[in-house]
Amino acid sequence: MTEQRAGIGRLTAAIVAVAATLPYLTIKTLWLTGDPVGVSDPALMDNGQMLGMNALTFAMEAAGLLLALAFTMRWGMRLPAWLVLLPLWVGTGLLSVLAVTTPLIVLIGGLTIFSGGPIQTWVYLVVYGGFITLGVALMTAFALYARDRWPAVFATPVRLPFPSATRSFQEVVAWGALLVATAVGALRVVMAFDGTVQAVQNGLKALLAVGGAAALVALVRRRGNGPFWRPLALAWLGSGSLFGWGLFSMIVRSTGGPLAYGGTGVADFAELFGMLTGLVMGMCGAFLLAERSGVGHVQPGQDALERQDREGDRQPADHGHR
């Protein structure tokens, strides 16, 4: 693979992403070092569980910063694929929901939804503003990075044939994931009518769950006439959202502390099975991409049907006319 210098679009998006992490990392650093800036109840920051969650979320944001830096450097093109894709899969699953729903929640409930708690309103504005900016910028930088590093993903159709030793298993997994994701999505739709600001998030998570699982089925069965990247993007976001939010919720509720808000049995069920379904979908997608990568090395703009012709994918009758 020939390393490419980051273009102006990728460079700009990555720089914006890096800048978007700095306010959040600054606030978390102050909290972890004992400065209760922006906190109405300073004792909150002394809670052991709260310290642990602050350290975890600091590490998550720092990972986003490092990935954004990698997207601007040539050495970023040499990183192992899993080291890029795994944290981006979880991170974009989390950030995509926040980037879409936060403006809607503020529009519906106003800034009053951030008042009355132990955290001052301006902190929420800084933090969620950073999340929105980071989500948009990081996903843009990653898309441009992926286009340069794995051009076949963007240049081949969904129906591109390739040998697969696990296709039958992938189909079983994909159909099973769609079934469970539909059930999880239905539960989230039910929870979306609880009259709280979480209703907006539950609605989007339901759409991503079902849409992502349906896209995975299309990828595994090679159904569709469009480019491969379109259903892949939906399956990526849907599975990442299921796993990322499910895992984060399980960590918060299992550790206790101020953030471990009481959830209903239905909510816990949705988070647990969402996490497991997202994990299964992600593993299925990893098998698919690994097998497909062996035949997907084409340059952007190369006609996929011509490539199939060279590899002998056409019927024998077609060869007989040559």
Side-chain angles (χ1 to χ4, degrees):
M1 178 187 65
T2 302
E3 294 181 16
Q4 299 185 33
R5 185 184 299 273
I8 186 62
R10 173 153 54 107
L11 185 62
T12 301
I15 291 174
V16 172
V18 169
T21 67
L22 299 182
Y24 186 88
L25 291 175
T26 300
I27 291 174
K28 290 292 181 174
T29 300
L30 292 173
W31 286 355
L32 288 169
T33 54
D35 189 334
V37 59
V39 180
S40 303
D41 181 9
L44 178 66
M45 294 297 109
D46 296 329
N47 182 281
Q49 288 85 356
M50 195 67 183
L51 287 172
M53 290 304 303
N54 281 333
L56 173 63
T57 51
F58 177 92
M60 292 168 63
E61 191 83 354
L65 184 150
L66 292 175
L67 285 169
L69 288 176
F71 295 155
T72 68
M73 306 295 182
R74 288 187 175 182
W75 56 262
M77 302 292 283
R78 299 193 299 269
L79 290 174
W82 68 267
L83 191 58
V84 176
L85 298 179
L86 181 58
L88 254 296
W89 175 59
V90 178
T92 53
L94 292 169
L95 290 171
S96 60
V97 172
L98 292 176
V100 173
T101 61
T102 301
L104 294 175
I105 291 173
V106 173
L107 184 63
I108 293 172
L111 295 180
T112 57
I113 63 173
F114 297 133
S115 61
I119 308 298
Q120 296 176 11
T121 300
W122 70 265
V123 176
Y124 287 107
L125 297 178
V126 171
V127 167
Y128 283 96
F131 284 159
I132 294 171
T133 305
L134 176 61
V136 174
L138 192 62
M139 286 186 279
T140 300
F142 174 58
L144 297 174
Y145 168 91
R147 185 189 63 182
D148 291 339
R149 181 169 179 176
W150 299 291
V153 171
F154 298 85
T156 54
V158 175
R159 58 186 175 88
L160 176 71
F162 59 91
S164 173
T166 62
R167 184 178 179 185
S168 297
F169 178 71
Q170 289 176 26
E171 289 191 3
V172 173
V173 170
W175 281 113
L178 177 58
L179 179 63
V180 180
T182 301
V184 171
L187 289 177
R188 291 203 175 278
V189 170
V190 172
M191 291 188 292
F193 289 95
D194 62 4
T196 68
V197 294
Q198 295 298 324
V200 178
Q201 285 196 358
N202 280 322
L204 179 59
K205 289 177 182 178
L207 290 175
L208 285 176
V210 178
L216 180 62
V217 171
L219 291 171
V220 170
R221 302 192 68 209
R222 303 170 199 169
R223 294 293 187 267
N225 296 319
F228 178 72
W229 68 267
R230 289 178 183 171
L232 177 63
L234 181 55
W236 172 283
L237 290 175
S239 59
S241 172
L242 281 167
F243 177 76
W245 282 103
L247 178 62
F248 184 76
S249 297
M250 290 296 101
I251 292 174
V252 169
R253 295 182 186 182
S254 63
T255 55
L259 296 181
Y261 50 89
T264 64
V266 173
D268 290 338
F269 182 89
E271 299 294 358
L272 174 60
F273 278 84
M275 179 185 69
L276 297 176
T277 304
L279 177 61
V280 170
M281 290 171 62
M283 294 178 65
C284 181
F287 275 99
L288 172 67
L289 290 173
E291 292 179 338
R292 198 178 192 276
S293 65
V295 298
H297 298 297
V298 299
Q299 296 300 317
Q302 179 181 351
D303 187 271
L305 292 178
E306 291 181 359
R307 184 178 180 284
Q308 294 174 27
D309 187 38
R310 291 200 311 273
E311 294 182 354
D313 289 328
R314 293 185 181 276
Q315 296 297 323
D318 292 337
H319 294 287
H321 292 295
R322 296 174 190 164

